[in-house]
Amino acid sequence: MDNRILRKFFLTGLMACFSFLLLYAQPSVKATVDRNEILIGEQFKLTVEANFIADARQVRWLSVPDSLQHFEVINRSKIDSLYTNNQLSGIAQTFTFTSFDSGKWVLPSFLIGIEPAKGDTTYNYFTDSVTITVSFSASDTTNQLRDIKPVMDVETFNTMWYWIGGGALLLLLIILLIWLYRRRKKKVVSPIPVKSNLSAYDEAMQELKNLRKYNFSDASDIKLIHTKLGEILKRYLSRRENDNYLNKTTSDMLIILKQVGVNNETLGNAAATLRAGDAVKFAKYLPPAHENEASLQSMEAVIKTIQLNPHTTP
């Protein structure tokens, strides 16, 4: 009786170990992203990893086109090999995407085929689909519940005070006009902007060259540099397209750059440069000197790309 019990325990343990080995040998595919929410024009990374037994499997790696619905590929890393205990156990690759369509979109799954080395049925595996939210501004992720405020009593005011205030303001305005008339202050005439003798492209290149004279480590110069970078781009496009883009926002400029044929990589760099300028002007952000130099080079590449493309905005 004791021997039979021992045999049962032994067989049960042997089967458990065998099942574990089968489970370990089973191929697996995993896809992860570094972020699920981006601003329009920002980038995110998709990492795809396939695990298998190197001496028993052959892999038909996934094929990702340059452009997907709502998404575009900016960069593809080299296919990396994964090792476990100094033995090849899988491969991985990272893809950099961007999107210029606001909304909540699904990055589709991709097919990876794993074939046994000695012939058999091919195993097809699909990566998980991923939801990406693309927006013009960061969404509120606090999910705070806000109390419903009670009904408030309407306070009544005596409108006579509005009439008194309006009369006082009118009287002050009349006094100000009389004072200005008596002083006979000459009106300051704003100088008429002189149209440059250079072409739009040559003027932009000259202005970018002048920016290199500033100190990339000085706080006041950094703010001036990033302010001028946006102005140079807007003035160049205004002269080239014979339209006024000086009052356009960063999001508007990214859409316009895409319309004039700027490629995805240059467009992504332009988005980073323009947003860095917004951070410097409005959030008092001071980037290091090498980032300021990179922003200047990025803007120069954007203008050169537009100049080489004869396409104009509709």
Side-chain angles (χ1 to χ4, degrees):
M1 185 67 178
D2 294 339
N3 291 335
R4 282 182 292 178
I5 293 175
L6 289 175
R7 281 198 298 271
K8 288 182 178 180
F9 276 113
F10 177 75
L11 290 174
T12 301
L14 184 62
M15 291 177 66
C17 293
F18 184 71
S19 299
F20 175 77
L21 292 175
L22 287 177
L23 181 63
Y24 179 77
Q26 196 70 8
S28 63
V29 171
K30 181 174 65 174
T32 57
V33 292
D34 61 342
R35 56 199 304 188
N36 292 97
E37 295 186 9
I38 63 171
L39 297 179
I40 185 170
E42 284 188 332
Q43 301 175 5
F44 67 94
K45 298 181 185 296
L46 171 72
T47 301
V48 180
E49 179 181 325
N51 296 290
F52 56 92
I53 298 178
D55 59 354
R57 305 283 180 185
Q58 294 179 353
V59 178
R60 290 184 301 172
W61 194 237
L62 75 165
S63 176
V64 180
D66 292 336
S67 181
L68 301 170
Q69 187 176 15
H70 306 298
F71 297 99
E72 296 182 16
V73 178
I74 299 298
N75 185 43
R76 309 164 190 263
S77 71
K78 295 181 179 179
I79 299 178
D80 296 326
S81 300
L82 305 177
Y83 291 89
T84 302
N85 297 327
N86 296 325
Q87 290 186 353
L88 181 66
S89 62
I91 57 178
Q93 188 176 15
T94 299
F95 301 86
T96 303
F97 289 88
T98 189
S99 178
F100 298 95
D101 299 330
S102 60
K104 194 170 186 179
W105 313 117
V106 176
L107 189 67
S109 58
F110 301 101
L111 172 65
I112 297 178
I114 300 181
E115 303 176 357
K118 296 182 179 180
D120 198 2
T121 303
T122 300
Y123 296 95
N124 292 326
Y125 295 86
F126 290 88
T127 62
D128 293 332
S129 58
V130 181
T131 301
I132 303 295
T133 301
V134 183
S135 59
F136 285 97
S137 60
S139 59
D140 183 9
T141 58
T142 58
N143 294 325
Q144 294 181 352
L145 296 178
R146 293 170 174 78
D147 295 335
I148 299 176
K149 295 187 177 297
V151 178
M152 298 178 63
D153 295 332
V154 178
E155 297 181 6
T156 58
F157 296 93
N158 189 346
T159 57
M160 180 184 67
W161 291 106
Y162 291 103
W163 290 100
I164 294 176
L169 289 176
L170 180 60
L171 180 61
L172 289 175
L173 180 60
I174 294 173
I175 294 174
L176 177 62
L177 292 175
I178 294 174
W179 179 74
L180 292 175
Y181 175 76
R182 288 182 176 180
R183 287 199 55 178
R184 297 179 181 179
K185 184 177 181 180
K186 294 183 179 180
K187 182 179 180 182
V188 178
V189 180
S190 300
I192 299 175
V194 179
K195 187 175 181 179
S196 175
N197 294 325
L198 300 174
S199 66
Y201 175 76
D202 291 336
E203 181 189 44
M205 291 297 102
Q206 183 64 42
E207 290 295 328
L208 290 174
K209 182 178 179 181
N210 292 338
L211 288 183
R212 297 187 180 277
K213 300 177 182 178
Y214 291 93
N215 186 354
F216 284 11
S217 300
D218 182 77
S220 59
D221 284 2
I222 290 174
K223 185 173 181 180
L224 179 61
I225 289 169
H226 283 273
T227 301
K228 293 287 290 183
L229 282 175
E231 292 177 353
I232 291 171
L233 176 62
K234 293 176 182 179
R235 177 172 172 81
Y236 167 73
L237 281 174
S238 296
R239 293 189 61 192
R240 184 178 187 269
E241 306 298 331
N242 196 24
D243 200 350
N244 184 14
Y245 297 126
L246 298 178
N247 60 345
K248 298 297 183 182
T249 64
T250 295
S251 298
D252 295 335
M253 292 303 299
L254 292 176
I255 295 174
I256 293 170
L257 290 176
K258 185 174 178 64
Q259 291 174 342
V260 298
V262 176
N263 61 64
N264 294 330
E265 183 175 0
T266 305
L267 188 60
N269 293 334
T273 299
L274 292 174
R275 290 202 173 92
D278 291 343
V280 171
K281 289 184 289 185
F282 305 118
K284 298 183 179 179
Y285 169 64
L286 294 178
H290 70 275
E291 290 187 12
N292 298 324
E293 175 64 25
S295 296
L296 195 150
Q297 294 177 358
S298 172
M299 189 59 67
E300 184 176 6
V302 171
I303 295 176
K304 288 182 177 179
T305 300
I306 299 173
Q307 184 67 19
L308 294 175
N309 192 334
H311 175 70
T312 58
T313 54

